[in-house]
Amino acid sequence: MEPSVVEERLLLELNGRSEKGDVGGDDGAVHSEDFAKLLGVEHVAIVGVIKSLQAHELIDVQEQDCKRCTVTEEGESYAADGSPEAQVFRKVPADGIAMNELKGLVGKVYDIGFKQAMQSKWISIQKGAVTTVHRKVETIQDKVQEILVGVKKGLEFSEKEMEPLRKRKLISVQPYKVYVLRKGPKFALKKTKPATDLTRDMLASGAWKTQEFKMYNFNALGIPTAGGHLHPLLKVRAQFQKIFLEMGFEEMPTNNFVESSFWNFDALFQPQMHPARDSHDTFFLAEPATARSFPEDYLERVKNVHERGGYGSTGYGYDWKRSEAAKNLLRTHTTAVSSRMLYKLAQDGFQPKKYFSIDRVFRNEAVDKTHLAEFHQIEGLVCDRGLTLGDLIGMLNEFFGRLGIKKLRFKPAYNPYTEPSMEIFSYHETFQKWVEIGNSGMFRPEMLLPMGLPSDVSVIAWGLSLERLILR
């Protein structure tokens, strides 16, 4: 039945009430459960209509708590076949029966039936060579079955009678609410929706005089605006930035995601045949595919050190190609930014500097639990005269110590643009083992001297992944 039909019938029923109602009511009241039966619908089908009419003050509603008893699945079988204790009693003949034989006759309800029959003093046992079961009474009244059948028929029983069956989980008691309904302060035979706005037409026609308007709550604060939240990765990134700034570092500009192979690889003394420069490791751009502008004198020095060496190096001894250096790519590390900053420092006139960067880099890697195609690299470098490997180790201990990482180890490693190079390990207290957390080293003269930096200047640097450190 449609809610609109239920609504109309209910309002008509209330309007036609005499002092004594016809539908289970009194004083002009209608009982919701009786009204549902009158309409031939489930009680739950009219609850929504009642709430709606109450909200519009067309009716007054008084709630009453009720309980509904239903027979469980186990109780259904006992209502049909009798209680377990009655089934046991019926299988005991007048002259008794062996216990084992009785158990076979009764089946799966034997254990509970035997226990209940003994408690009810319907049967007794005699021990001997063979334990036998005998009747203690001539007849029984299966009260359990009677109550179960009665509950199914909708009959009511006392709490004392129902409680044992509830404990045995043969019946379940479900609370529910019924409603006593009376005319409300704004009772009408039809529900009308209050107007929310005063319109021009209402003013012109005078309809506003009789029109019902929705009440305004002038004290309402309105819907709270949704506030943004920092991503956990950004929170940790901010902590790293704070540590670098407290240590006197200056942040490098890293907003240039697209870089040429020259600054990403060649300026770092990374040969053009290096595996990292293959397309299966690096994202190369299709458009624009190449860079056009380079500092030509610096490019020539980089070419020479790759082909023939210099500055104490023999170089790589291959034919260096400008076309390879001009290829555009998504930067594979923020060290490309470091190479630009060091070159600029050499051109502007050297002075000691401490730089850092935290930004996205891109690798053409299969994504798994420890690798991403796009992630954040943290990089720090110190540029000054007379720096040694000891200065690098001391700086790493200070940097990671501010993160709460006190136990560090260093392992020799190889990088094309640092010599010596070290992998950084920390002791993981939870896993009880040493785990790699970063890489470090001193930039090679083949990288620094072509830039125009003084020969006594050294650069110590280290890098790590923001995501990997958080995971560990």
Side-chain angles (χ1 to χ4, degrees), residues 403-420:
L403 292 169
I405 301 173
K406 303 294 185 181
K407 296 181 181 179
L408 294 179
R409 279 184 181 176
F410 307 98
K411 176 184 175 183
Y414 169 76
N415 287 314
Y417 45 90
T418 57
E419 180 60 38

Side-chain angles (χ1 to χ4, degrees), residues 221-238:
L221 298 178
I223 300 174
T225 56
H229 299 276
L230 281 177
H231 190 280
L233 205 63
L234 295 180
K235 290 183 180 180
V236 179
R237 174 177 173 167

Side-chain angles (χ1 to χ4, degrees), residues 342 345 350 382-387 443 445 448-449 453-459:
L342 290 172
L345 183 63
F350 173 75
V382 180
C383 181
D384 203 350
R385 289 182 167 89
L387 294 176
F443 284 149
L448 300 178
L449 295 179
L453 289 169
S455 60
D456 60 344
V457 169
S458 299
V459 178

Side-chain angles (χ1 to χ4, degrees), residues 133-430:
V133 181
H134 298 268
R135 291 186 177 185
K136 291 184 69 175
V137 294
E138 292 295 327
T139 59
I140 61 168
Q141 180 183 7
D142 191 355
K143 192 68 175 175
V144 171
Q145 186 181 30
E146 290 176 5
I147 294 174
L148 291 173
V149 172
V151 168
K152 291 182 65 176
K153 292 179 178 179
L155 303 180
E156 294 186 1
F157 296 90
S158 68
E159 184 67 23
K160 184 178 179 180
E161 291 175 304
M162 299 289 281
E163 183 62 17
L165 275 68
R166 188 185 64 79
K167 287 183 177 179
R168 291 174 64 175
K169 298 182 179 180
L170 303 181
I171 60 172
S172 63
V173 180
Q174 299 170 339
Y176 71 102
K177 292 183 182 296
V178 296
Y179 307 94
V180 179
L181 314 174
R182 294 181 175 86
K183 291 182 178 181
K186 297 181 180 179
F187 180 81
L189 290 177
K190 187 175 182 181
K191 181 177 71 176
T192 57
K193 187 176 181 180
T196 57
D197 294 301
L198 180 64
T199 66
R200 178 185 176 185
D201 291 340
M202 290 180 188
L203 292 172
S205 64
W208 62 272
K209 296 177 183 179
T210 56
Q211 175 65 51
E212 181 184 359
F213 290 92
K214 184 178 180 180
M215 295 293 293
Y216 282 91
N217 181 5
F218 294 101
N219 296 319
L221 298 178
I223 300 174
T225 56
H229 299 276
L230 281 177
H231 190 280
L233 205 63
L234 295 180
K235 290 183 180 180
V236 179
R237 174 177 173 167
Q239 291 175 348
F240 274 103
Q241 286 176 319
K242 182 179 179 182
I243 289 172
F244 274 118
L245 294 172
E246 288 174 347
M247 293 176 66
F249 282 72
E250 177 185 338
E251 188 165 9
M252 295 184 283
T254 55
N255 56 342
N256 193 24
F257 293 160
V258 175
E259 191 56 271
S260 68
S261 294
F262 176 78
W263 291 107
N264 195 83
F265 295 123
D266 295 271
L268 302 179
F269 196 56
Q270 190 161 334
Q272 293 183 340
M273 74 288 285
H274 195 280
R277 301 179 69 152
D278 292 339
S279 59
H280 60 77
D281 284 327
T282 302
F283 291 111
F284 288 96
L285 266 67
E287 183 65 34
T290 58
R292 298 177 182 178
S293 177
F294 299 100
E296 294 297 333
D297 56 340
Y298 175 45
L299 182 140
E300 191 63 28
R301 292 194 295 272
V302 170
K303 173 184 177 182
N304 289 336
V305 78
H306 275 252
E307 290 183 343
R308 297 186 295 275
Y311 315 105
S313 171
T314 60
Y316 292 114
Y318 70 99
D319 185 16
W320 186 89
K321 295 181 175 63
R322 182 188 180 103
S323 59
E324 188 69 29
K327 290 181 179 178
N328 282 331
L329 49 79
L330 293 178
R331 67 181 180 211
T332 62
H333 48 193
T334 52
T335 316
V337 181
S338 302
S339 64
R340 283 182 177 271
M341 293 298 293
L342 290 172
Y343 174 72
K344 184 176 184 299
L345 183 63
Q347 307 312 302
D348 293 345
F350 173 75
Q351 55 180 329
K353 284 286 186 179
K354 291 193 286 188
Y355 291 126
F356 83 94
S357 64
I358 308 172
D359 211 337
R360 282 182 286 177
V361 296
F362 309 87
R363 306 275 177 87
N364 191 4
E365 293 187 351
V367 176
D368 58 29
K369 64 180 180 180
T370 58
H371 294 84
L372 293 170
E374 176 184 340
F375 59 94
H376 290 76
Q377 180 178 328
I378 303 167
E379 183 165 344
L381 65 89
V382 180
C383 181
D384 203 350
R385 289 182 167 89
L387 294 176
T388 66
L389 190 64
D391 295 306
L392 175 59
I393 293 174
M395 184 63 72
L396 292 174
N397 278 302
E398 174 66 20
F399 174 75
F400 285 103
R402 292 179 181 234
L403 292 169
I405 301 173
K406 303 294 185 181
K407 296 181 181 179
L408 294 179
R409 279 184 181 176
F410 307 98
K411 176 184 175 183
Y414 169 76
N415 287 314
Y417 45 90
T418 57
E419 180 60 38
S421 306
M422 301 185 303
E423 291 176 345
I424 309 166
F425 290 81
S426 72
Y427 189 72
H428 201 297
E429 298 291 347
T430 302

